[in-house]
Amino acid sequence: MEDKNTIITNRLKIYAASKEQMEAFIAAQSVDALKAAYTEMLEGALTHPDEWEWYAIWMIEMKDGTHIGELCFKGVNADGSSEIGYGIAEDYQNCGYATEAVTAVASWALRQNTVNCITAEVDRDNIPSVRVLEKSGFDPTGIIGEEGPMYRKVR
């Protein structure tokens, strides 16, 4: 790990984007739903600057700087839980990058004093994403959320 908001794995560099990086990333989006979601993340980060990493877009890059995906948290709840979301560009899927990123970032999150549980919600038909969660140490909770089954990883 380089600093508080950068995580280095065997193949990846994962970091919480700065305001300027987030603005440029949002401007480059062509999908309205993604642009809206990333804009909401930036607004959350700006509203909670002392908790930037819990609202920012986390960039997932190969060590050579190639951008291959993003992940995010949705703040930290009063009960010490934080929901994670993630995505890997199609050309880089099925290579273990999502599992590597989610495992590393969830482990980082669970080492923070304010967090005791990481949750994720996944469409039940998104089998690759379910596998990422399972391989990253998340367990099904038995609860069905708005997007599908919920999973969690605890300290």
Side-chain angles (χ1 to χ4, degrees):
M1 211 185 302
E2 287 182 5
D3 65 37
K4 176 179 168 182
N5 298 329
T6 300
I7 298 165
I8 304 295
T9 68
N10 288 339
R11 302 180 294 169
L12 304 173
K13 177 180 178 182
I14 309 158
Y15 60 92
S18 68
K19 176 181 182 277
E20 294 75 22
Q21 289 167 322
M22 290 175 68
E23 288 171 340
F25 190 74
I26 292 164
Q29 294 303 309
S30 59
V31 178
D32 288 342
L34 289 176
K35 187 173 266 200
Y38 293 135
T39 299
E40 187 177 320
M41 287 179 214
L42 175 58
E43 290 169 0
L46 293 172
T47 302
H48 303 92
D50 293 343
E51 300 174 25
W52 188 270
E53 63 273 21
W54 300 108
Y55 294 92
I57 301 167
W58 285 69
M59 303 298 180
I60 304 170
E61 297 178 351
M62 303 290 292
K63 286 194 173 173
D64 68 5
T66 303
H67 182 86
I68 65 167
E70 309 81 45
L71 59 77
C72 68
F73 294 101
K74 298 179 181 177
V76 177
N77 300 312
D79 67 359
S81 67
S82 183
E83 184 176 348
I84 191 172
Y86 51 89
I88 298 291
E90 192 172 339
D91 289 348
Y92 297 93
Q93 292 177 0
N94 301 309
C95 298
Y97 295 124
T99 299
E100 188 172 331
V102 170
T103 299
V105 174
S107 293
W108 169 87
L110 290 170
R111 288 192 304 271
Q112 308 311 305
N113 292 334
T114 57
V115 177
N116 58 39
C117 176
I118 303 298
T119 63
E121 199 172 319
V122 62
D123 183 316
R124 72 176 74 247
D125 296 328
N126 189 344
I127 302 304
S129 191
V130 170
R131 291 290 300 136
V132 165
L133 293 173
E134 290 171 344
K135 290 189 282 185
S136 297
F138 285 72
D139 296 312
T141 64
I143 299 168
I144 305 299
E146 291 178 22
E147 298 173 32
M150 296 189 72
Y151 289 76
R152 73 179 182 165
K153 183 173 185 172
V154 297
R155 274 189 211 188

